[in-house]
């Protein structure tokens, strides 16, 4: 069994949701109904919410709240590596501003 994915509760049971399903998910900035398509777009929206870069290296970028809060979010610099775990981290720390949506599958 693969160890990559996100643990979710479904019908009272914790299950591992495979990471490949994240390809059908998108992070949306709710006030503007804007899908986040790049790290720059996400940083721009988060800057308006009081977030700024804390640390960066070749692989990742960390953001923290300007107000000195303890929240810290690590994101991949390469947006193609942005997974549902990153999306849900953003949503949890900005509940009124972001949501994760599932794209319909084409059969």
């Amino acid at each position: 069994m693969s160890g990559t994915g996100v643990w979710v509760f479904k019908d009272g049971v914790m299950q591992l949701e495979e990471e490949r399903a994240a390809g059908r998910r998108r992070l949306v900035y709710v006030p503007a109904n804007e899908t986040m398509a790049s790290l720059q777009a996400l940083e721009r929206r988060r800057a308006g919410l009081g977030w700024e870069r804390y640390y960066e290296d070749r692989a990742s970028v960390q953001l923290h709240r300007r107000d000195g809060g303890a929240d810290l979010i690590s994101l991949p610099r390469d947006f193609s590596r942005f997974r549902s775990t990153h999306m849900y981290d953003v949503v949890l720390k900005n509940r009124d501003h972001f949501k994760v949506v599932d794209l319909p599958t084409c059969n």
Side-chain angles (χ1 to χ4, degrees), residues 2-80:
S2 171
T4 62
V6 178
W7 288 98
V8 295
F9 282 98
K10 289 185 180 179
D11 301 319
V13 178
M14 185 181 250
Q15 299 176 6
L16 180 65
E17 194 169 282
E18 292 298 322
E19 198 64 54
R20 67 178 175 264
R24 297 187 311 263
R25 292 207 171 112
R26 297 294 180 256
L27 181 66
V28 175
Y29 179 66
V30 175
N33 197 30
E34 176 187 359
T35 299
M36 298 291 99
S38 69
L39 182 60
Q40 293 77 20
L42 180 57
E43 279 192 275
R44 180 176 36 86
R45 290 300 185 181
R46 294 187 54 110
L49 300 172
W51 291 83
E52 64 185 8
R53 282 192 183 202
Y54 175 71
Y55 174 79
E56 60 185 298
D57 62 23
R58 288 195 290 188
S60 65
V61 173
Q62 290 183 337
L63 304 169
H64 75 106
R65 288 197 184 270
R66 256 177 278 177
D67 64 8
D71 289 337
L72 182 70
I73 294 179
S74 292
L75 302 172
R77 181 178 295 280
D78 178 359
F79 203 72
S80 68

